[in-house]
Each structure stands twice: as C-alpha cells, then as structure tokens.
Amino acid sequence: MNGDHGGNIVQVFSSDVRFQCPACSAFVETRMEVPEPNWTAAESLSELYSEDISHVFCSDCGNEFEVYVYFTHGDCTASFQEFSDATIDVDEPNFWPPQDEWTDPGKTPDPYAVYNQSYKQLRDLVIKFGEPDGHSIINRMIFAQHVSAMEAYLCDTLVNAVSDKRESLLKLISADPALQKAKISLTDVVKGEDVEKTYVVSHLKEHLYHNLRKVDSLYRSALGFSILANGDDTKALLAAVKLRHDCVHRNGFDTEGNPPTAFTQEYVSQTAEVIKRLVERVDTSVHEF
C-alpha cells in the first residue's frame, strides 16, 4: 500500500536496519524495503504477514546484498541470502517518509549520498564487466551513467540550496534574465506559499545539466563559487560531456560517422574520478557557503 500524496511523494513500507557488512566489515545503518502484506485480505492483525527478497547496500564498499525478509504483525526479521553467519538488526517497519516530513517534494534529501552510491556501483561494474576495448558497449553504458549521475547531483544540489537559502534564491533571480521576466499570476500567489521558490525550482529542473558552462553560471550566481575550478579537470569534463552526447544520441559514433574508440576501461575509470573530484569540490563549497 504505497501511498501517493499529491502525485509527488511515495511512501515505502520499510525498516531501519543495522548490520556489519559481510564484504568490508563496516558498520552500516540504512533503510530496507519490506514486502507489504495483503492489508485487505487479513481479517485480524495476527493474519498479517509477508515474505520476499529485498536488498541492502553498504555505502563504504559499494556492495549490494540480497536479504530474505519475513514480516508478521509486530515483528520483522531479515537474513542474508549468501552469508549465513552475518546478522541484520531490523526495526519494526513503517511507511516512509512520515507525513510530517512531506514539506518539500521538490528536494532530494542527500544528493551526495545518492551520487556516491551510483559512483560506487558503477565503479564496481566497470571493474567486473568492463573491457579494455574502446569499442565496448558495456563501457559506453557505464560511462554515460557516470555523466548522468553528475548531472543529477548538480541539479539536486542547486535546487536544495535555493530552497533552503532565501539569499541564494534572490541572487539567482537577480542574475537570471529568464527569471527576471517571469510572469506569476495573482491566482498562483493566493493559492500557495513561497510561489517564487516553486517557480525557480521548476525553472532549475528544466535546465540541461550537461551544459556545464551554463550550470557553472547558475552556481556562481546563486552560491558565489565556480564548479569548474580545475583547468585540467574542466577540459576533461567538457570532452566527456560531448562523448556522452554521442553515446546517447548516435550510439557512440561522432558527427562524422566515426565509430567509438575512446571508451576503454581505463578512460571510463579516469573520467569517473574526474567527475567525483568535481562533485566533492561542489559539496564542500556548498556546506561552507
């Protein structure tokens, strides 16, 4: 019974869990999706139960694990599928997020954590399945996803910043000609609070975040720093964005019809590290702002 609220927020039946990672031994606290029981079929609480395979993720080493989850009213247990000696401490499930946290459906709670999870999973994929050959379609897919993860991080981080800091919101409005010319009806003003913030967030989400020069301008306007601070990395990123465009729109072929040759395992890994450095610089700068 996942609940949709206003078409934006979806609640997930899930539990807080704690475990020692079977792969790297790190202590992990995270949230795990729990299979929902058939709420309408049960005639009493004692008849509520569910069981299925779920997944937990270790943010330290990037490994994802299958776990068998069994839920009955008042109790929930989980066990690793492949690591019988490892244990998981499971709290009572509930629907998440709680309704009192449905304050801003436009925000991503932790863009860096989302990016870092993608980075680690993609890093592991290229190590395990990548090929030395620069023609490899697996390499191209992983490469394109690295760039997409960067774009999502840059968008979500900027949206969060202008949502949380009115000073940044006003600076962006003052610097962006499109926002200065925006027309907001009196009906919209009357219907909702923070109508200007809602409009700006919608405007930001319409941008293409692989246009790094434009994104850099948005960050400089709103937050006062450049995302393109490293010259060598900037050159590499701009080239990567162009190659990503070829991957997405021309199956890796360039505008002259030349087949893809650049996407070696080494190049994909190097580009991932360049992107990670940009994300870490931005995240540090945002928290210092």
Side-chain angles (χ1 to χ4, degrees):
M1 190 172 64
N2 289 352
D4 185 280
H5 214 69
N8 292 307
I9 298 296
V10 176
Q11 283 184 303
V12 177
F13 193 56
S14 56
S15 291
D16 287 318
V17 298
R18 294 159 295 281
F19 60 92
Q20 186 173 19
C21 175
C24 72
S25 299
F27 178 73
V28 180
E29 292 182 283
T30 187
R31 196 145 184 100
M32 176 189 72
E33 187 167 352
V34 174
E36 284 190 57
N38 188 337
W39 304 100
T40 58
E43 295 183 358
S44 66
L45 291 176
S46 61
E47 295 180 5
L48 284 175
Y49 83 96
S50 62
E51 58 182 339
D52 206 348
I53 300 298
S54 189
H55 298 82
V56 291
F57 179 81
C58 174
S59 58
D60 277 53
C61 66
N63 281 298
E64 187 176 69
F65 305 96
E66 284 191 348
V67 292
Y68 170 76
V69 182
Y70 183 81
F71 168 75
T72 59
H73 176 63
D75 188 36
C76 186
T77 60
S79 57
F80 287 97
Q81 288 288 90
E82 298 181 6
F83 303 91
S84 57
D85 293 334
T87 60
I88 309 179
D89 183 26
V90 184
D91 289 349
E92 184 175 350
N94 54 30
F95 284 99
W96 190 267
Q99 291 189 19
D100 59 2
E101 291 190 18
W102 293 1
T103 54
D104 196 341
K107 293 177 60 179
T108 298
D110 191 344
Y112 180 78
V114 173
Y115 163 79
N116 202 38
Q117 178 174 341
S118 296
Y119 162 79
K120 289 179 177 179
Q121 290 176 329
L122 293 167
R123 177 198 61 191
D124 292 346
L125 285 173
V126 79
I127 291 172
K128 187 173 183 179
F129 300 109
E131 302 171 1
D133 183 5
H135 298 273
S136 167
I137 190 169
I138 296 295
N139 294 1
R140 298 203 305 269
M141 292 169 64
I142 295 171
F143 169 84
Q145 192 60 36
H146 270 299
V147 178
S148 295
M150 174 190 70
E151 293 177 30
Y153 168 81
L154 291 172
C155 175
D156 293 340
T157 298
L158 186 58
V159 166
N160 285 3
V162 300
S163 297
D164 293 339
K165 299 180 177 69
R166 186 163 182 80
E167 177 186 0
S168 295
L169 179 74
L170 296 177
K171 285 181 177 179
L172 185 62
I173 292 172
S174 299
D176 191 321
L179 291 174
Q180 292 174 19
K181 297 175 183 177
K183 292 180 171 54
I184 300 175
S185 71
L186 286 176
T187 302
D188 289 334
V189 174
V190 171
K191 279 170 34 178
E193 297 180 0
D194 295 330
V195 64
E196 71 280 10
K197 182 174 77 175
T198 302
Y199 186 93
V200 170
V201 167
S202 176
H203 173 74
L204 288 177
K205 290 186 174 184
E206 292 174 357
H207 278 282
L208 299 175
Y209 282 78
H210 56 255
N211 185 345
L212 293 179
R213 297 290 188 192
K214 176 61 177 176
V215 176
D216 183 61
S217 175
L218 293 173
Y219 268 80
R220 284 189 283 108
S221 297
L223 300 174
F225 66 85
S226 172
I227 68 169
L228 302 176
N230 184 305
D232 290 338
D233 280 2
T234 296
K235 184 178 179 180
L237 284 167
L238 294 175
V241 167
K242 183 178 183 302
L243 286 173
R244 183 260 188 189
H245 185 272
D246 292 342
C247 288
V248 172
H249 298 287
R250 286 188 288 270
N251 196 28
F253 288 73
D254 65 19
T255 54
E256 304 299 321
N258 297 311
T261 59
F263 304 98
T264 63
Q265 193 175 26
E266 180 182 13
Y267 175 71
V268 174
S269 296
Q270 288 175 345
T271 302
E273 295 309 309
V274 172
I275 290 173
K276 192 170 192 293
R277 287 196 294 271
L278 173 128
V279 169
E280 289 176 342
R281 286 197 305 271
V282 171
D283 212 61
T284 298
S285 297
V286 166
H287 285 92
E288 291 176 348
F289 179 76

